[in-house]
Amino acid sequence: QVQLVESGGGLVQAGGSLRLSCADSGRTFRIYTMGWFRQAPGKEREFVGGISWSGGSTYYADSVKGRFTISRDNAKNTVYLQMNSLKPEDTAVYYCAADLSLTQGSTPRYWGQGTQVTVSS
């Protein structure tokens, strides 16, 4: 069973950085494609990016490309979202998600509880 728990959110000034972590307490983490999504107040959930089961392939939404980096450590059952050059419009609740296949338009099977990221101007 997949159980995802995010951490690392918080308040940061525009231009700053944060790193989010998402840990899975299950034993099958390494077989799943992992993704990050976000949802701002009053807006629809937005795909941020994803990473293949091996970590060999990553893909991002245009809005974060060049600023955000996803990585994973299968030995630690953890996926990371490094966010640099943060903007106020990056403010949202960030969720990690897992599924055998995960794309920008998909709805993953497993979700974390979310962590708040607030970027002040």
Side-chain angles (χ1 to χ4, degrees):
Q1 187 173 356
V2 177
Q3 293 183 311
L4 304 174
V5 178
E6 300 98 335
S7 61
L11 174 64
V12 63
Q13 289 188 333
S17 298
L18 276 177
R19 188 176 81 155
L20 306 183
S21 299
C22 173
D24 174 26
S25 60
R27 294 184 289 180
T28 57
F29 175 82
R30 65 186 64 233
I31 74 171
Y32 288 101
T33 298
M34 301 297 297
W36 287 94
F37 294 75
R38 67 186 182 185
Q39 188 165 20
K43 295 188 176 181
E44 292 187 353
R45 185 178 62 208
E46 175 187 20
F47 172 80
V48 174
I51 186 167
S52 62
W53 67 270
S54 67
S57 177
T58 55
Y59 42 102
Y60 302 92
D62 288 343
S63 58
V64 306
K65 200 171 295 183
R67 300 187 298 122
F68 291 10
T69 302
I70 298 174
S71 60
R72 67 190 295 165
D73 185 340
N74 285 344
K76 296 182 178 179
N77 283 9
T78 302
V79 62
Y80 304 96
L81 178 65
Q82 177 68 44
M83 304 184 293
N84 298 329
S85 302
L86 282 161
K87 305 174 181 180
E89 52 263 44
D90 294 318
T91 295
V93 177
Y94 283 72
Y95 300 89
C96 70
D99 210 331
L100 294 177
S101 177
L102 192 155
T103 64
Q104 185 163 354
S106 66
T107 301
R109 184 181 312 179
Y110 303 106
W111 293 86
Q113 84 289 350
T115 186
Q116 176 70 46
V117 171
T118 302
V119 184
S120 63
S121 57

